[in-house]
Amino acid sequence: MAEVEQSDPEQDVEQSDPEQDAERAALEQAVFARLRRESGHSDAFAYLVTAGDRDELGRVLTAPGQPLWARELAAFRLGVAGDPRAFESLVLFLNHREPARCASAAHALARLGDPRTARAAAALATNELRVAYALHPVRLLTDLRAPESVPALVTTLERRLRRPHDPYGKVALACVEGLGALGDRRARPVLEQALGHPPLAAAAAGALARIPQQR
């Protein structure tokens, strides 16, 4: 039976950020609390949330007839444990219609460390047919700081700015904030365009202040 790997305590001492650790723990507990409610406080939930066998969690992802809460719980636990079997399920949840599932998937994908994650998140963020669900892929790309991050956020923001009265203001704002956090000069032109959009102007000014001037 494959055990869920535990982190190295010595590495945790060197790299741990208490504030980030607290936020991570709070988010994970919120995910478990939501899924416990969805399960009807079932014995099956109590078993899966503590199961130490990765293979057993992996079977939940592929076995027919599993409830949605069980698949999400298995994918989430495998993801934060760094097991690549969670990848496909987490990407599906990242683009789910329910924001809470998107947020939990983004958290687990950020912990997973799979090299495919940034490419998948960029594809979701730039899929205009699914832009209503692009918020968490955009935020994940910011967290990943991957080569795909800046081009995807620039593309998504450019599209939002081109549409008068675009209904996806939260996605646009996440792009602006993300580009500021990434601090890449390639973002300056689109952020300068965002200055002309009142709902984004303050955030765009703040983002530009974080990016070095073009030489």
Side-chain angles (χ1 to χ4, degrees), residues 24-37:
R24 181 182 302 124
L27 187 150
E28 293 179 4
Q29 289 305 309
V31 170
F32 294 149
R34 172 174 58 81
L35 295 177
R36 182 183 295 110
R37 291 192 299 271

Side-chain angles (χ1 to χ4, degrees), residues 12-118:
D12 289 345
V13 170
E14 292 177 2
Q15 301 177 3
S16 177
D17 180 317
E19 185 174 345
Q20 290 183 354
D21 289 347
E23 290 177 359
R24 181 182 302 124
L27 187 150
E28 293 179 4
Q29 289 305 309
V31 170
F32 294 149
R34 172 174 58 81
L35 295 177
R36 182 183 295 110
R37 291 192 299 271
E38 290 184 21
S39 78
H41 300 268
S42 67
D43 292 340
F45 171 87
Y47 178 75
L48 286 177
V49 80
T50 57
D53 185 351
R54 284 193 190 183
D55 290 339
E56 190 162 4
L57 293 172
R59 284 192 290 272
V60 173
L61 297 181
T62 58
Q66 293 293 325
L68 187 62
W69 67 261
R71 293 190 188 280
E72 183 182 354
L73 177 57
F76 183 82
R77 290 204 59 216
L78 287 170
V80 297
D83 192 311
R85 287 175 289 185
F87 176 76
E88 287 82 2
S89 295
L90 289 173
V91 169
L92 290 175
F93 282 120
L94 182 63
N95 202 224
H96 199 274
R97 66 180 179 275
E98 297 179 37
R101 301 196 199 281
C102 301
S104 70
H107 174 83
L109 283 165
R111 300 285 304 281
L112 178 60
D114 193 297
R116 299 169 291 176
T117 297

Side-chain angles (χ1 to χ4, degrees), residues 68-168:
L68 187 62
W69 67 261
R71 293 190 188 280
E72 183 182 354
L73 177 57
F76 183 82
R77 290 204 59 216
L78 287 170
V80 297
D83 192 311
R85 287 175 289 185
F87 176 76
E88 287 82 2
S89 295
L90 289 173
V91 169
L92 290 175
F93 282 120
L94 182 63
N95 202 224
H96 199 274
R97 66 180 179 275
E98 297 179 37
R101 301 196 199 281
C102 301
S104 70
H107 174 83
L109 283 165
R111 300 285 304 281
L112 178 60
D114 193 297
R116 299 169 291 176
T117 297
R119 185 165 62 251
L124 294 176
T126 58
N127 183 350
E128 195 66 9
L129 297 177
R130 300 285 293 176
V131 65
Y133 311 107
L135 178 62
H136 290 285
V138 165
R139 289 176 174 170
L140 176 58
L141 285 165
T142 302
D143 291 340
L144 293 174
R145 308 185 76 88
E148 296 88 348
S149 297
V150 170
L153 267 60
V154 166
T155 295
T156 303
L157 181 56
E158 285 176 341
R159 290 173 178 171
R160 308 279 58 81
L161 297 180
R162 285 199 297 264
R163 290 189 58 181
H165 311 295
D166 184 77
Y168 305 114

